[in-house]
Amino acid sequence: MEYRVLGPVDLWRDGRSIPIVGQKQRTLLAVLVLKGNQVVSHDRLLSALWGTEIPASGRKLLHNHLWSLRRALGTPAHLSGTPAGYRLHIPPGGSDLDVFGAGTRAARTSLAAGDARQAADQFRAALALWRGPALAGTRDELLLTDGAALEELRIAALADRIEADLALGRHADLIGELRHLVAEYPLQERLRGQLMTALHRSGRTAEALEEYRIGRHHLRQELGLEPGEELSALHQAILSAAPEERPHQAPPPAVRPRQLPADVVRFAGREDSLRELDRRLLSGEAASVSIAIVTGAPGVGKTALATRWSHRRMSLFPDGQLYIDLHGHSPGEPVTSMQALHQLLYGLGVAQDAIPPGAGERETLYRSLLADRRLLVVLDNAARADQIRPLLPGSAHCKVIITSRESLRGLVATHDVHAVPLDVLSPDEAMALLGAILGHERVARERDAVESMARLCGHLPLALRLAAAHLAGQPDLPVADFVAGFIGRDRLTALNVEGDPRVGVRHAFALSYQGLAETHQRTFRMMGLHPGPDIDADEITAMTGESREEIASAIDALVSAHLVYRNRSGRYVLHDLVWLFARELSHAHDSERLRNDALSQLFDWLVYATRAAMHQVYAELTGEPKCAKPVHEVPVFDGFDPAAAWLDLRYPMLMATIQYAVQHGSHAHVWELVDALDYFFYLRNRIDDWLASLRLALEAARELRDREGEGRVLNALGMACLFAGRVREGIEYQQQALDLSRAVGDAVGEAYATYRIGYSRLWTGEFRQAISDSLQAIDLYRRLHNERGEILATFALSMAYRRVGRLDDALSGALSCLDYDRAAGNPADEGYTLALLGDIYDDMGDSARALDAYERAVELNSEIGQRRIEAQALNGLGRVHRKQGRLAESLDLLLRALALIRQDGDRTSECDILLDLGHHHLAVGDAEEALTHYRLALNIADDLADRYLQGVTRHAVADAHDALGRPDEAEGLFREALDILEPMGVPQAKAVIERLGGVGRQAASKERRDRPTP
């Protein structure tokens, strides 16, 4: 896939252009490409398409445009949706903008290295990607903003290419091109200066001076300004007949320091970070000293990266390279700025007795010696901003690399500093590093074991090097054996070097930990007790009982020290090994009671906070927590969207907490947290997690002998089994719940279990029994005056009535449910009810009402992220369009539904959609394609053992065979379908009987035709 925005917006796949129809489609694609691999918010996309006049149906129209774009992309995975917006996944080099950016960066690196010829060629290749004005064919607002910004990038690259050509002496050849450019961009002083330079060097000095006069007049007339300093200086140089437009550099210093430590052996990966340092330190003409800070966690390889880059670019600093280790995170005291200046001045050739005694005098001498010199300064292992400031050169010719575990925000506030944060290595980079140390043959031979070792090391470079060092000395030891021992040991101890305690992961972490204030150390230890995989301030506040302000201050310090980092979602994460270190410290310094209290307080808070969110997601959530009410207040949610977003963001942490609570024997917290999340598992179709969590909750409730809790979990398990396609197993759990409720006299539990059993029978084809169970549940709920329960059972009853063809009864029940859902403010149930109403109206032949119900269902379910029901409603829309003869629209909707349901993994709905796709192909006369879809549906129905679906899919396959002139195959399948459907009392049985009669007549006719003539 290739995305093009440097000219008319275009999309190429497999060597051919894919048409993007319409201005809005092109605008949508352009915005997503410009923000490639980033989430673009719904609001940004809406404003890009409609500006400030967004229509009332804008969100729905946006979804339609996104769907059309997905179809053009071919693979839905290229464009993914999130609760916040949409992300277009673009691989490196996948857009002409990306290729242009990489090309110009490489060209500027070549130019900075003195290779003007290569730079000119690289700039030309990058500029050749432009096919006209950027973003052509998009809306005017985008052209005026992002289009103009891209044009600035083009002009800058063009000016740099001309700079390279000037360096190659191509002065006369450039004059014509530059005259055109200056006429087109009269306010671009750099281009005018290049034209003056080309004219002057071609012996046309008078024309060069005239060009300055014209430019000065233009600036004064248009803007009331004088030419800038650089253009004025060039004018003066030409007047003085200087051979070059820039002053000569000062003579090289007498002493050229070469202080870099030895280059890192067996360095691997980090190419992106090396290129980032190139971009930050080598590109463009800096007005002040260029400074890059390499930051990251202990052991992540900051010094290694700085050293590798410095050796790579040594030739660009002919006046020398200064290096000093400031010992910011080393045993003992950090180097003071006075001590550092003494060392740096001595390295520059200043005699010991000539080094001034005062701090100000040392700074002045240091900066004077560096003025006009091209010199690199590497300040390794810095601790604080005030340690660094006196060591910064004043010359723009010098470049500075700082490495630090701290963020040094104070320095960023006062200087033009570029941060280059380092994370752990990627899996591929980790394998490359281990291959360099252990030998690539050994790594290839035992790849699985080596990958396991890399994962256990968390891809942290220091840990990888230490693990590899242990293995390198034992070439005959299988890596798998080492890994097995590694898993069974304390990983932090295993990653030490015997006899050298200062070379180890624990020691590296300890140096950062020891630099923290005591209160911050305590917060760090509590983070080690948290189940993970990420944390937020509220959770730590709940664990510690401290104020929000104290926790915020502690987390800020931990982030600054790179012991903790903030992920893209705003939550906090510790590297796996750092987490082990924090947990180890807690066990060493905090009492068992304190640790248990902290976890219990966290679990209490999570149960209450989760229920607070679920009350907004599912308004009819019942029951009250039995665990202790937390001291720290739980969040308050304003409606469905923020509550669902809160749960989505914390879902991995909540799953980890359930497991963690099991390990710590917190049985009440296990089942209460699972019970709170029960409907959310269903809403997000997290079936595997739902089943696994409920099994843990069942064990916990039974361990506590909590009969009420056991009954609730059994009922939930039945529903989870139903959606996992294990319907009979689910009914068994619900029957256990029913028996338990009756045994303990729990009338509410009895009614609920009866309703759930009736609902589950809809998937076994026992529709008459489902009607009986649902009516019984309604009666039980009415005795209890429980309107919510009555509505649940009424919904199941309506579904059963629809299956047996009692459509008026089905409609009456569904409308009652819809009224209740809206009054209760329950959008999830309303979305489900609207989809059922669409099905009922469709069965009744009322296409107008069916379309209205389905469209409202699509919109509502899309908004709340209930993708399974959204797909069902899209399928219903496609079915109605097919019946109306709108076959193109029908196919588009059915394919949308299929793509959506395959993301969600609901096989029952997938079976329904495949059936309707088959009906579509049969309607357009493509029986072979219809048969393909019907067979896929039949396979799913058989896998699920859903008797109703087994019957209707056999009916469909028989129809396709009949259309293909295969009456024998059709007749056998029709009879199988009839055997299944007739006992259910469903309308489809009658249709099968009619089709069987037609096939019988067709078979008899065929027999007569084939009979030999007497």
Side-chain angles (χ1 to χ4, degrees), residues 639-668:
F640 179 96
D641 288 345
W646 189 92
L647 291 162
D648 282 326
L649 182 59
R650 286 156 184 79
Y651 183 82
M653 180 272 297
L654 292 170
M655 293 302 95
T657 299
I658 291 166
Q659 295 282 347
Y660 206 59
V662 170
Q663 295 165 15
H664 286 78
S666 297
H667 302 302

Side-chain angles (χ1 to χ4, degrees), residues 110-124:
S110 299
L111 191 59
D115 192 343
R117 189 174 304 280
Q118 181 170 325
D121 291 342
Q122 289 169 322
F123 277 123
R124 282 189 171 83

Side-chain angles (χ1 to χ4, degrees), residues 962 965-968 970-972 974-975 990-1011:
D962 188 26
R966 303 167 184 167
D968 294 338
E971 183 175 8
F974 277 133
R975 293 195 183 282
K990 183 180 178 183
V992 175
I993 292 170
E994 291 173 356
R995 298 292 290 121
L996 257 173
V999 171
R1001 289 190 296 272
Q1002 182 182 350
S1005 174
K1006 181 176 185 295
E1007 183 181 351
R1008 286 194 298 271
R1009 287 196 307 271
D1010 294 344
R1011 189 180 300 154

Side-chain angles (χ1 to χ4, degrees), residues 422-590:
L422 278 194
D423 201 349
V424 297
L425 295 174
S426 70
D428 288 343
E429 288 175 327
M431 292 298 286
L433 176 60
L434 292 171
I437 300 173
L438 298 174
H440 293 290
E441 288 185 8
R442 188 177 184 184
V443 167
R445 188 172 61 249
E446 301 184 72
R447 186 170 188 85
D448 290 346
V450 176
E451 286 178 342
S452 296
M453 185 178 77
R455 283 193 298 272
L456 288 168
C457 291
H459 301 131
L460 186 72
L462 176 60
L464 291 166
R465 287 181 176 276
L466 289 167
H470 285 294
L471 270 171
Q474 306 174 77
D476 297 327
L477 176 67
V479 178
D481 290 356
F482 176 80
V483 170
F486 196 43
I487 293 172
R489 295 176 62 194
D490 170 9
R491 272 191 277 170
L492 295 174
T493 301
L495 292 170
N496 281 337
V497 175
E498 191 174 347
D500 193 348
R502 292 188 177 184
V503 181
V505 172
R506 182 185 282 113
H507 178 71
F509 296 159
L511 291 172
S512 289
Y513 173 77
Q514 289 161 9
L516 298 170
E518 184 180 346
T519 55
H520 301 164
Q521 289 179 343
R522 185 167 61 249
T523 299
F524 178 66
R525 297 197 302 270
M526 288 297 100
M527 283 183 155
L529 293 179
H530 190 284
D534 49 27
I535 311 172
D536 75 6
D538 278 337
E539 292 150 26
I540 295 301
T541 303
M543 293 179 77
T544 62
E546 295 177 2
S547 70
R548 289 176 182 270
E549 292 74 20
E550 290 170 323
I551 294 301
S553 172
I555 291 176
D556 192 53
L558 293 169
V559 169
S560 183
H562 287 93
L563 286 169
V564 174
Y565 67 90
R566 190 175 183 178
N567 63 19
R568 291 180 180 178
S569 63
R571 289 175 61 79
Y572 299 99
V573 180
L574 286 72
H575 182 276
D576 287 354
L577 295 174
V578 176
W579 214 305
L580 288 175
F581 177 66
R583 190 166 298 174
E584 178 183 276
L585 288 173
S586 183
H587 280 267
H589 295 281
D590 302 322

Side-chain angles (χ1 to χ4, degrees), residues 650-689:
R650 286 156 184 79
Y651 183 82
M653 180 272 297
L654 292 170
M655 293 302 95
T657 299
I658 291 166
Q659 295 282 347
Y660 206 59
V662 170
Q663 295 165 15
H664 286 78
S666 297
H667 302 302
H669 292 113
V670 173
W671 91 255
E672 291 214 49
L673 192 52
V674 174
D675 180 62
L677 285 166
D678 179 48
Y679 188 82
F680 195 73
F681 287 120
Y682 157 77
L683 183 68
R684 291 294 187 254
N685 206 42
R686 302 272 191 168
I687 306 301
D688 291 341
D689 286 346

